[in-house]
Amino acid sequence: MDDAELVDRVLSGDPDAFAAIYDANGDAIFDFCASMLRDWGEAADATEQTFVAALESLEELVDPGQLLTWLYTLAHRVIVARVPGGALPGDEGDEDLVWGDGTGELSRAELTTFVWQATAGLDLEERVLVDLDLRQGLRGRDLARAAGVPAAQIDRQADRVEARWERALSALVVARTGRQYCPDLAELMEEWDGRLTQEFRDQVTGHVDACEACDDLGRDLPDPLARLEAIPLMPAPAELRDPILDEGDAEAAIRRGEMEVGPPVATAGWSFDRDGFPVLAGAARGAG
């Protein structure tokens, strides 16, 4: 069955159709939530809330062919409501960073960790844009929809954000590998207190921009955008499926007239545009 038929069957009260929608899209939505929230428990809760929101608002969706993009937009709405002001976790952590003595090549595992850490220099909406583009593979109008960016601006914004992210990643990797080539960088690293703060990122990035040797080293690094794209999706926890499908069973009973309709849980206070997509404006300020 295609998405249009699955949506039609869910609206007719078929719980198996909703199970098929979750099985096809649950891993992608969990991966997106986990990439943003950096906490598996929070990501699981956000994924469940996203699919409950889908059940509550499926009638709003005008074009079922946009189902996955719509689910990403629901997840985006859920995420920004969970992190008022865009204050994502881990912004000043040094999780799993192995700086060592600054010599030797960077392993694939280390580079993957640096890829994730570089996003900590971006705000929430920038991280959303990078992840939806490079990790989830959305493009064009779909990317604009899910990221909450006007379609006419999406290419320019994506290029700007990805260039900033790539610059930050290159600076972090240079800081890890380039101390043996640059005394000034070595001195900067000796004074570092070990916290991956925004101030530290700015210092390293500023140094790399101004230092010809470090800038040249950064240009020789593996393509960080390709590295982000190559990281496998994180599958949703197996134990998440049953409670989500239980929600689907309850909603199916409501649609068949076997249960009373209750108040919305996941979408209380939400607004939807004429195509049935949740309105994202203001959500990042903590609107629930």
Side-chain angles (χ1 to χ4, degrees):
M1 290 181 287
D2 61 20
D3 287 342
E5 186 174 356
L6 286 172
V7 168
D8 184 64
R9 289 182 60 172
V10 172
L11 294 175
S12 298
D14 180 356
D16 291 337
F18 179 71
I21 287 175
Y22 175 77
D23 288 340
N25 302 293
D27 287 349
I29 298 303
F30 176 79
D31 179 86
F32 175 55
C33 293
S35 296
M36 294 299 103
L37 297 171
R38 308 295 179 89
D39 179 288
W40 288 182
E42 286 284 326
D45 289 346
T47 300
E48 182 172 3
Q49 188 177 354
T50 296
F51 280 95
V52 173
L55 286 167
E56 292 178 354
S57 57
L58 194 56
E59 288 93 345
E60 303 278 353
L61 181 60
V62 172
D63 179 7
Q66 292 284 298
L67 179 63
L68 180 56
T69 299
W70 183 71
L71 288 171
Y72 279 124
T73 312
L74 294 178
H76 183 180
R77 181 65 177 83
V78 166
I79 289 164
V80 296
R82 297 176 78 92
V83 286
L88 289 173
D91 279 0
E92 296 195 0
D94 58 349
E95 59 177 281
D96 300 327
L97 288 179
V98 182
W99 291 88
D101 60 3
T103 62
E105 295 183 0
L106 200 67
S107 70
R108 289 177 61 86
E110 286 178 302
L111 182 56
T112 298
T113 300
F114 274 81
V115 164
W116 286 121
Q117 284 295 334
T119 62
L122 304 175
D123 64 29
L124 172 58
E125 296 309 313
E126 290 173 329
R127 294 192 206 185
V128 165
L129 186 55
V130 167
D131 195 81
L132 288 174
D133 185 1
L134 300 179
R135 291 273 297 148
Q136 312 304 330
L138 298 189
R139 299 291 186 270
R141 186 172 180 270
D142 288 342
L143 177 60
R145 275 283 198 189
V149 175
Q153 301 175 18
I154 189 62
D155 289 340
R156 184 174 71 254
Q157 286 206 29
D159 288 347
R160 176 183 60 79
V161 171
E162 287 163 16
R164 182 183 168 201
W165 175 81
E166 185 172 4
R167 177 169 166 257
L169 175 59
S170 295
L172 287 175
V173 176
V174 168
R176 161 62 175 78
T177 61
R179 279 174 278 175
Q180 58 184 320
Y181 307 109
C182 177
D184 291 337
L185 179 61
E187 182 179 353
L188 174 62
M189 297 301 296
E190 285 177 3
E191 297 173 354
W192 181 44
D193 66 4
R195 295 186 305 131
L196 197 61
T197 63
Q198 188 59 52
E199 180 182 5
F200 172 74
R201 292 188 187 91
D202 291 343
Q203 287 177 333
V204 171
T205 303
H207 170 81
V208 171
D209 287 346
C211 175
E212 184 176 351
C214 289
D215 185 59
D216 288 343
L217 180 61
R219 295 178 190 277
D220 292 335
L221 296 172
D223 181 2
L225 301 183
R227 185 64 188 141
L228 182 61
E229 291 173 317
I231 298 173
L233 293 183
M234 291 172 276
E239 61 270 19
L240 186 58
R241 187 176 187 270
D242 284 347
I244 289 179
L245 297 196
D246 287 346
E247 297 282 358
D249 290 344
E251 184 65 25
I254 291 171
R255 295 182 191 279
R256 295 193 302 267
E258 298 169 4
M259 291 177 58
E260 293 185 4
V261 178
V265 176
T267 60
W270 288 24
S271 299
F272 295 85
D273 66 19
R274 64 184 181 181
D275 295 320
F277 282 71
V279 175
L280 294 167
R285 294 191 294 272

